Amino acid sequence: MTDPGGPPPEVRLLIERIVSAVRKGDDTRVQILLCRFAHEADMGAAFMLRQRLLHDPPDGPGGETGDGADDEDGGMRPGRFPPHLAEHLK
């Protein structure tokens, strides 16, 4: 069952990393992260991920999010949503 406060912090971090990987077009990283997400997330988290991918602007407020979600990759730098992935989300 989804907590009224939303998914736990580790699942929120996964969501940020998935969104970043999708926007970078990093299919391998998306696949790895989605496997982890499938084991750790509930339906509420899945809907949150969907919301982020479909409705949030690619650059977020003011460009980089600065939340450290992808520090191992040099920071989150989302770009345009890759067209080859966007067509599958509609």
Side-chain angles (χ1 to χ4, degrees), residues 61-76:
E64 292 184 31
T65 64
D67 64 0
D70 272 343
D71 286 343
E72 71 273 9
D73 291 339
M76 187 178 286

Side-chain angles (χ1 to χ4, degrees), residues 12-47:
R12 287 180 182 267
L13 183 59
L14 268 175
I15 290 170
E16 294 304 316
R17 288 179 172 166
I18 292 167
V19 170
S20 176
V22 167
R23 296 211 169 113
K24 290 177 184 176
D26 188 343
D27 296 341
T28 302
R29 186 158 169 82
V30 169
Q31 183 178 12
I32 291 167
L33 292 169
L34 283 175
C35 285
R36 283 187 53 205
F37 185 79
H39 290 285
E40 297 180 27
D42 62 9
M43 280 303 277
F47 283 117

